[in-house]
Amino acid sequence: MTRGIMATLAKQISPPNLSIMQDEGFTVSRVRTELLSGLTVALALVPEAVAFAFVAGVHPLVGLYAAFMVGLITAVFGGRPGMISGATGALAVVMVALVAQHGVEYLFATVVLMGILQIIAGVMHWGKFIRLVPHPVMLGFVNGLAIVIFLAQLTQFKDPDNTEAWLAGSQLIMMLGLVGLTMLIIWGTPKITAIIPAPLAGIGIVAALVIAFGINVPTVGDMASIKGGFPSFHNPFGTGEGLYGSALAPFTLETLWIILPYAVILAAIGLIESLLTLNLVGEITGKRGGASQECIAQGASNVVTGFFGGMGGCAMIGQSMINVKSGGRTRIAGIAAALFLLAFIVVASPLIEQIPLAALVGVMFMVVIGTFAWNSFKVMTKVPLMDAFVIVLVTVVTVMTDLAIAVVVGVIVSALAYAWNNARRIHAYTRESESDKGAKVYEIEGPLFFGSTDGFIELFDVAGDPDHVIVDFARSRVVDQSALQAIEALAGKYEAEGKALVLRHLSRDCHQLLTKAGHLMVDSDDDPDYALAVDYSVKTGILGGH
């Protein structure tokens, strides 16, 4: 017995697969593809990280450091090689209120607590609950995020000198032209060569044209300077002044009550977005990912990021799609993306700041086209109306609020629809008993649970039935307390009429549920495998009538 327990424990704590190449062959061609894919992702990460830092109300380097550290740690330890993580807009919109009220040090403290909560979720294997997300919710998630990514790119069409005004005239025409050219290059490159990832080719060619001809369009440098040093350890807890002129967060219960609500929300959003992206990348690459391993990696990355002056992060569906479409399949691509990004910050900022935003917008527009589930329009005409409604609902809620709320709403609506459909399925066939003369048998079909109890009670004709009634559950299941309550109420009605009600063909789980509640009256030795049809009388007055 002890050996069995130890074996089970060893299975639970077995080391995760941290192989760099996973099951891909280690070849020069594979490594080149991974490195070029990582470079492409790093270039696309720069404006995203800066933009999300602005959304959260923090210095651009706070977003860039988060993209580097979260991206590196999740690439090394995460559950889905090929998935890219970094600072995201879904988290930034929650952070902005905290930063505005208490300052950036409280944000760093919140990110540390957020990471701890995510590690706990991973250790407890809570990531498996992502399996409860129905496919219509996944479609809505993908479509909603594609729209969010598209809308986020529109801010790049604003005048860098006046963020309230949009580009106009020749600048707008040139911007649109370069975006279109980038998209055309990305579309056409795979038809010519597979050596260079199409997004990298688009960025490189358009950037070269802009620099060579001195075309006046917004560049990365117009957003903010990305120059900085290596991230250094910084404790956000204490007294006095911290980074960027903000006061440190005191290590007190008062601070905990301030940051805890934000940490819980951020941890939930981060894990939901990461696990859904993990599933999506797994579907594209045809490989499974470790949900619990990903939760732990996300948590560890956020704890580290909080102590190194970063804003935290989670999986990024846009950058993950860029990586996968560019050929990235192993941990090398994610690690390379993070290291390239650090190199941009430390030594290559003057060069990167010259890249036109139009090229990066073109890349993200192609991501939008590739991410949006265009077949969902066709799917919605073929699936049940409720599933089509859930797809549209999750898409709209994702765009209007955030991903976590959208997924929760979608799951709740899907669960209620499922419960309603099952509630309508319960019915009964009646016949005279062959084994008990004069007895009437009700053969129940469909699950008996909270949604079907009213329908269950209505199946019976208490006044017109004979003195002996048998309820046969061979094709039914007793699921919850509401079902127990219904059985007791029904037995009480027959008891009041001086009639006997017995239950037959209870499955093992139904038997255990009813026995635990104390409803079954077993007068003889019971057969646990139900080789014989055993009839059970029902005790009343256990749960009461309310």
Side-chain angles (χ1 to χ4, degrees), residues 185-253:
I185 294 171
I186 294 172
W187 174 79
T189 298
K191 303 178 186 304
I192 301 171
T193 179
I195 296 177
I196 301 176
L200 182 59
I203 294 171
I205 294 172
V206 172
L209 289 174
V210 169
I211 295 171
F213 292 98
I215 301 173
N216 182 25
V217 289
T219 62
V220 171
D222 291 327
M223 294 182 69
S225 173
I226 67 167
K227 185 176 182 180
F230 288 95
S232 57
F233 180 82
H234 169 71
N235 186 359
F237 301 101
T239 57
E241 186 175 303
L243 300 177
Y244 310 108
S246 179
L248 291 171
F251 194 72
T252 62
L253 277 176

Side-chain angles (χ1 to χ4, degrees), residues 422-432 440-448 452 454-461 465 469-476 490 494 501:
N422 276 279
R424 294 187 302 169
R425 288 177 183 167
I426 194 161
H427 58 279
Y429 296 104
T430 60
R431 61 177 174 82
E432 287 188 12
K440 183 177 181 180
V441 178
Y442 284 85
E443 294 183 354
I444 308 299
E445 289 201 0
L448 179 56
S452 61
D454 288 343
F456 172 74
I457 296 291
E458 293 170 0
L459 297 175
F460 297 87
D461 180 12
D465 282 344
V469 174
I470 300 169
V471 185
D472 192 328
F473 283 93
R475 291 191 288 271
S476 181
L490 181 65
Y494 279 103
L501 176 77

Side-chain angles (χ1 to χ4, degrees), residues 235-286:
N235 186 359
F237 301 101
T239 57
E241 186 175 303
L243 300 177
Y244 310 108
S246 179
L248 291 171
F251 194 72
T252 62
L253 277 176
E254 183 182 355
T255 299
L256 175 63
W257 298 132
I258 291 172
I259 67 176
L260 182 59
Y262 290 98
V264 171
I265 295 171
L266 291 171
I269 294 173
L271 289 184
I272 290 173
E273 184 159 358
S274 297
L275 294 176
L276 289 178
T277 303
L278 179 143
N279 284 349
L280 182 63
V281 172
E283 287 180 8
I284 295 174
T285 59

Side-chain angles (χ1 to χ4, degrees), residues 190-526:
K191 303 178 186 304
I192 301 171
T193 179
I195 296 177
I196 301 176
L200 182 59
I203 294 171
I205 294 172
V206 172
L209 289 174
V210 169
I211 295 171
F213 292 98
I215 301 173
N216 182 25
V217 289
T219 62
V220 171
D222 291 327
M223 294 182 69
S225 173
I226 67 167
K227 185 176 182 180
F230 288 95
S232 57
F233 180 82
H234 169 71
N235 186 359
F237 301 101
T239 57
E241 186 175 303
L243 300 177
Y244 310 108
S246 179
L248 291 171
F251 194 72
T252 62
L253 277 176
E254 183 182 355
T255 299
L256 175 63
W257 298 132
I258 291 172
I259 67 176
L260 182 59
Y262 290 98
V264 171
I265 295 171
L266 291 171
I269 294 173
L271 289 184
I272 290 173
E273 184 159 358
S274 297
L275 294 176
L276 289 178
T277 303
L278 179 143
N279 284 349
L280 182 63
V281 172
E283 287 180 8
I284 295 174
T285 59
K287 298 176 183 177
R288 294 184 61 187
S292 297
Q293 184 179 337
E294 185 62 36
C295 291
I296 295 173
Q298 292 287 337
S301 70
N302 281 309
V303 170
V304 172
T305 301
F307 281 117
F308 279 82
M311 62 184 283
C314 64
M316 307 179 75
I317 187 171
Q319 276 64 26
S320 297
M321 290 300 101
I322 291 174
N323 186 44
V324 172
K325 296 295 174 64
S326 298
R329 292 291 185 277
T330 73
R331 299 187 186 279
I332 291 178
I335 294 170
L339 295 178
F340 276 127
L341 181 59
L342 180 63
F344 297 162
I345 297 170
V346 177
V347 298
S349 57
L351 178 62
I352 301 303
E353 288 172 7
Q354 295 182 59
I355 294 177
L357 291 175
L360 300 173
V361 170
V363 171
M364 297 311 294
F365 277 175
M366 291 300 286
V367 168
V368 169
I369 294 172
T371 301
F372 194 92
W374 300 100
N375 68 324
S376 59
F377 293 112
K378 183 179 179 180
V379 167
M380 286 191 290
T381 64
K382 298 178 180 290
V383 298
L385 184 61
M386 181 53 68
D387 287 345
F389 172 74
V390 168
I391 294 172
V392 175
L393 177 65
V394 174
T395 300
V396 172
V397 176
T398 300
V399 174
M400 300 301 294
T401 57
D402 63 61
L403 171 67
I405 293 175
V407 171
V408 170
V409 168
V411 171
I412 290 174
V413 171
S414 297
L416 290 175
Y418 175 79
W420 174 252
N421 288 334
N422 276 279
R424 294 187 302 169
R425 288 177 183 167
I426 194 161
H427 58 279
Y429 296 104
T430 60
R431 61 177 174 82
E432 287 188 12
S433 174
E434 297 176 1
S435 58
D436 298 90
K437 279 295 182 181
K440 183 177 181 180
V441 178
Y442 284 85
E443 294 183 354
I444 308 299
E445 289 201 0
L448 179 56
F449 68 111
F450 68 90
S452 61
T453 53
D454 288 343
F456 172 74
I457 296 291
E458 293 170 0
L459 297 175
F460 297 87
D461 180 12
V462 178
D465 282 344
D467 292 340
H468 188 197
V469 174
I470 300 169
V471 185
D472 192 328
F473 283 93
R475 291 191 288 271
S476 181
R477 289 291 182 273
V478 181
V479 177
D480 56 14
Q481 181 190 338
S482 296
L484 298 177
Q485 193 87 47
I487 291 172
E488 182 178 316
L490 181 65
K493 289 184 179 183
Y494 279 103
E495 191 177 275
E497 293 284 335
K499 301 176 181 180
L501 176 77
V502 296
L503 312 181
R504 178 177 291 178
H505 288 138
L506 293 172
S507 65
R508 181 182 295 273
D509 54 337
C510 299
H511 182 273
Q512 290 174 346
L513 186 64
L514 288 159
T515 302
K516 183 178 179 181
H519 280 108
L520 297 188
M521 296 172 63
V522 183
D523 298 324
S524 59
D525 290 339
D526 193 9

